[in-house]
Amino acid sequence: MSPLPDPGPDPEPESEPRPEPDADADDLTTIRVDQFFPHPPAKVWRALTEPGLLARWQMPGAEEFRLRVGHRYRMTSVPRPGTRFSGVVEVEVLAYDTERMLSLRWTDADPANPADWTITWTLEHEGRGTRLFLVHEGFDPDDPAQLMARRIMGGGWSGHVLPALGQALEQVR
């Protein structure tokens, strides 16, 4: 019996954002995305929690973030009338575990929009980098505007926000 050929070094993990397989197919209340970054968890954590770094990849206003449970700040973006989004997100820091997890509450500044979402970032050391998991939950599956917001935001997280975070990480020393 001949030995199996050496497959060589382990391949690098995927670096493209990816939805968790079938995780959202039946759960219209949640967006789940994960992405590998070839950076240590400490560096990814800095990009998630240091105001000057947040300003490089998140909405305007992110520079007001403070890593303190209960801290509140506002971020602004383009209003989206079809989703009832006013363009202003009220953010509250709910919980964190340094270099492991950050949980935020997002609500629309307009009380006419019932959106009340939880955004949770979870970091896991993987090989020579970090696997970052995003869970954005709290969408109302019975509200057509929230379903549209979920569709738009799902594409935004994977197609814009996580790539922008990756670019910001490349600039961090």
Side-chain angles (χ1 to χ4, degrees):
M1 177 182 237
S2 62
L4 293 173
D6 180 5
D10 289 338
E12 286 294 317
E14 293 177 40
S15 61
E16 293 296 314
R18 65 178 190 208
E20 290 184 7
D22 299 315
D24 295 331
D26 296 320
D27 185 359
L28 298 177
T29 67
T30 304
I31 297 168
R32 297 176 193 277
V33 182
D34 75 80
Q35 181 169 347
F36 175 81
F37 291 102
H39 305 283
K43 187 174 184 180
V44 176
W45 181 255
R46 286 182 55 213
L48 292 175
T49 60
E50 290 185 13
L53 298 178
L54 279 166
R56 295 182 189 182
W57 65 275
Q58 273 207 349
M59 293 180 265
E63 65 278 3
E64 299 302 320
F65 173 89
R66 299 296 177 267
L67 187 58
R68 185 175 66 243
V69 171
H71 176 71
R72 296 173 187 259
Y73 62 102
R74 287 180 159 206
M75 296 189 298
T76 58
S77 186
V78 177
R80 299 222 181 244
T83 67
R84 295 192 308 260
F85 175 53
S86 70
V88 179
V89 180
E90 301 279 351
V91 185
E92 178 183 3
V93 177
L94 296 176
Y96 69 91
D97 183 3
T98 303
E99 294 185 16
R100 292 194 175 116
M101 182 276 299
L102 174 64
S103 185
L104 307 166
R105 180 179 185 204
W106 281 16
T107 57
D108 195 298
D110 182 351
N113 184 344
D116 189 354
W117 299 316
T118 302
I119 312 297
T120 303
W121 301 97
T122 305
L123 298 78
E124 290 184 8
H125 181 261
E126 180 177 311
R128 295 183 185 144
T130 304
R131 175 76 53 188
L132 182 64
F133 296 89
L134 164 72
V135 177
H136 181 162
E137 56 194 334
F139 293 93
D140 179 352
D142 297 322
D143 183 337
Q146 286 216 13
L147 289 178
M148 182 180 288
R150 180 182 175 274
R151 184 179 58 76
I152 291 168
M153 294 173 95
W157 284 120
S158 58
H160 177 72
V161 178
L162 289 174
L165 171 56
Q167 291 173 350
L169 284 165
E170 291 301 322
Q171 300 168 2
V172 176
R173 298 288 163 224

